[in-house]
Amino acid sequence: MIIFRFFALILIAVALMVLGADIVARLGGDPEPFHSLGRLWGLVHAESHAAATGGNAAGGLLSTALSAPAFAVFGILGLVMSFVFRSRT
């Protein structure tokens, strides 16, 4: 259980880092209000992003998930995991 709590903490930290990058990019004049999950994936590994989004196999569900703000996805996932795997003593 401690491993999942640590992973939840990592996800929350990543969410805060992405939110900080969004704020800095916005102050720098970036016209997009946030980094989407797809944009972040494209920055990390462009080839796998292009391979996953190139075909129409997944359809609209994948494009909807990849257009979500990255800080919200990581933050909500981290908060849910920290709630589910909290210590119950």
Side-chain angles (χ1 to χ4, degrees):
M1 293 300 219
I2 189 92
I3 294 172
F4 291 115
R5 284 185 285 193
F6 181 70
F7 188 64
L9 182 66
I10 296 294
L11 285 174
I12 292 171
V14 167
L16 290 174
M17 287 190 290
V18 172
L19 183 61
D22 288 342
I23 291 171
V24 168
R26 192 71 173 158
L27 290 174
D30 191 7
E32 293 188 32
F34 54 82
H35 287 87
S36 66
L37 195 58
R39 181 177 174 191
L40 193 64
W41 184 10
L43 289 173
V44 172
H45 196 261
E47 291 84 18
S48 65
H49 179 261
T53 58
N56 289 332
L61 182 63
L62 183 64
S63 64
T64 302
L66 291 179
S67 65
F71 74 90
V73 172
F74 290 128
I76 290 171
L77 188 60
L79 289 175
V80 167
M81 284 184 66
S82 65
F83 178 73
V84 169
F85 297 110
R86 71 186 184 276
S87 63
R88 293 181 171 96
T89 57

